[in-house]
Amino acid sequence: MERVLSSPSVAPLLRGVRDLVEESLPALFERRYDISWKADGSPVTQADLFLERRLTDWLGERLPGLRLIGEESFSDEGPEAARDGWVAVLDPIDGTENFCSGLKEWGVSLSLWHDGEHAGSLLMLPELGDSLASGEEVARVRSRITGYSSSAHPAIAAGIGEGGEARIFGCAVYNLFNVTRGALARFVNPKGARVWDLLAGLMLAREQGCDILIDGKTYDGSFLDPHRRHCVDIRHRYDLHPRQGLLG
């Protein structure tokens, strides 16, 4: 087995993760409706737990000393996450409410960091057959739609009330993937989300030239504090790609 000690490119690892997720789909579907409930009232399925364990083990074999920041295993009571060495930020199933309701709009989010620097990220929408990893080209489209987080917040109601096209999909990966490729003109989460929801999508959106505000400030691509929520406002930059074949 090849071990990756450090490299400017983790493309082979990201491809391996993509293959592993696809290989795991039958096991995820078997566990899809085996649901328990977190203290905050949100669902977690055995599929969430299964995939986080499997990806953690697989990555840990290839990245010595890997530290995982995963939605299902992270504790707010723990110490601040160290940023030296390899760090993986993982949401095994983002949009669990969609997933355990039988909807296809759910995703996998993985961001890899080495000594505090971004090494590569991956977003997957497995049931929709879509994915995007660092270094890959994205097929850009054009949209007027603003996507909003499903976390209730007065700013969302106000934004929708102002008019224009708006959508709420209930999956950060879906929103981040689509604003990155231009299928959403903007994605807004005014209540805030955690690093496992955001980091992979933020880094991919940044690679594609999107304008990104985190907590009202221009995002500089730095690692975000995993102990708190971060408010997000991302706009796709349509001036960065040709207008041929695009809507006016």
Side-chain angles (χ1 to χ4, degrees):
M1 177 184 61
E2 180 181 359
R3 295 174 69 85
V4 179
L5 297 176
S6 64
S7 170
S9 172
V10 296
L13 272 180
L14 298 177
R15 288 194 296 269
V17 169
R18 183 155 38 197
D19 292 343
L20 186 60
V21 171
E22 292 174 352
E23 174 190 310
S24 300
L25 284 177
L28 300 184
F29 295 152
E30 288 176 4
R31 295 163 171 79
R32 187 173 200 151
Y33 304 116
D34 189 347
I35 305 166
S36 55
W37 303 93
K38 299 181 183 180
D40 63 2
S42 63
V44 59
T45 71
Q46 286 300 308
D48 294 77
L49 302 175
F50 170 86
L51 189 57
E52 182 163 312
R53 286 193 300 266
R54 188 166 192 193
L55 290 175
T56 300
D57 291 345
W58 191 90
L59 287 167
E61 291 174 350
R62 291 158 176 81
L63 298 173
L66 176 73
R67 280 178 286 276
L68 177 87
I69 299 174
E71 179 178 15
E72 308 309 335
S73 56
F74 183 78
S75 172
D76 277 321
E77 298 176 356
E80 183 172 347
R83 299 181 187 180
D84 57 318
W86 284 102
V87 178
V89 182
L90 171 67
D91 192 343
I93 296 181
D94 176 67
T96 299
E97 193 82 54
N98 286 358
F99 177 76
C100 70
S101 299
L103 297 174
K104 296 182 179 182
E105 291 82 6
W106 59 275
V108 180
S109 177
L110 172 67
S111 191
L112 295 175
W113 295 69
H114 188 249
D115 290 339
E117 299 292 330
H118 180 240
S121 290
L122 170 69
L123 293 179
M124 293 185 67
L125 296 163
E127 273 197 273
L128 297 175
D130 285 324
S131 67
L132 178 64
S134 291
E136 294 179 347
E137 292 187 8
V138 61
R140 295 184 175 96
V141 292
R142 192 173 184 86
S143 174
R144 302 182 304 163
I145 298 171
T146 295
Y148 290 99
S149 164
S150 57
S151 300
H153 191 280
I156 296 177
I160 294 173
E162 291 172 359
E165 293 290 334
R167 305 287 189 273
I168 296 177
F169 298 107
C171 175
V173 169
Y174 188 88
N175 284 309
L176 290 162
F177 175 82
N178 282 300
V179 75
T180 295
R181 73 188 187 98
L184 293 176
R186 185 183 181 193
F187 169 53
V188 182
N189 183 335
K191 186 173 183 178
R194 305 294 287 269
V195 290
W196 44 80
D197 301 307
L198 298 176
L199 260 184
L202 291 178
M203 298 313 296
L204 291 169
R206 194 165 184 264
E207 287 178 16
Q208 297 298 326
C210 295
D211 289 333
I212 304 171
L213 297 179
I214 299 294
D215 300 322
K217 298 179 181 179
T218 300
Y219 180 52
D220 62 2
S222 59
F223 195 86
L224 299 177
D225 182 355
H227 290 88
R228 57 178 291 266
R229 290 178 174 270
H230 303 272
C231 301
V232 178
D233 188 341
I234 305 176
R235 296 175 187 263
H236 188 84
R237 289 279 304 280
Y238 294 103
D239 59 312
L240 297 181
H241 57 82
R243 297 181 61 87
Q244 291 89 338
L246 303 178
L247 298 176

